Amino acid sequence: MFSPLPVPERFAAGFPYGMAVRLSQIRAEAQDGAGMAAEMAATREHYRELGMPVAIVAGTKDRVVDMGRPAARLQGKIPVSELQLVPGAGHMVHYAMPGLVAELVGAVSARSAGTPRPTRFAAAVD
């Protein structure tokens, strides 16, 4: 999930490993994964209808989901979106670059409130 970056110490120390391997949790994850494709297919035709600002954030080294091309396609379908690809980050971009993610949330929130605020994207992960 974090590769190619290391697992942050605070995540490793605080993650409830025992809960992640419970049968009920594994079953819930499987059900979520099985239904995801159908739900995505059902909603993708409505992306163009979104009127609120949207920030799309993806790590360029994501080994869980190949987000490069899909993220760019998604941005093309949502008229009020911006795409931020984070070089060197994996799937857990919000752990690799929490400041960037917080900044994007703030910018999107400001635009939603009708107060345009320029974003100053933090330095990307090498």
Side-chain angles (χ1 to χ4, degrees):
M1 297 295 282
F2 293 94
S3 182
L5 301 174
V7 176
E9 286 184 34
R10 66 186 159 108
F11 185 90
F15 185 76
Y17 292 97
M19 290 181 71
V21 295
R22 292 182 313 177
L23 184 55
S24 61
Q25 182 65 32
I26 294 169
R27 189 175 298 124
E29 292 287 337
Q31 289 172 336
D32 184 46
M36 190 180 305
E39 291 300 319
M40 289 174 62
T43 60
R44 71 176 162 217
E45 299 305 318
H46 300 283
Y47 292 157
R48 293 189 190 283
E49 299 167 18
L50 295 174
M52 78 290 268
V54 173
I56 303 163
V57 184
T60 62
K61 299 292 185 180
D62 191 332
R63 295 179 183 170
V64 176
V65 178
D66 174 17
M67 282 304 299
R69 290 183 306 269
R73 279 196 317 268
L74 179 61
Q75 181 192 22
K77 292 182 179 190
I78 302 175
V80 289
S81 67
E82 67 178 78
L83 172 61
Q84 179 68 34
L85 294 177
V86 182
H91 192 69
M92 302 292 272
V93 176
H94 52 293
Y95 276 91
M97 298 290 293
L100 168 67
V101 173
E103 190 175 313
L104 288 169
V105 168
V108 167
S109 178
R111 285 197 308 275
S112 292
T115 311
R117 183 168 85 182
T119 55
R120 177 196 47 79
F121 297 119
V125 175
D126 291 327

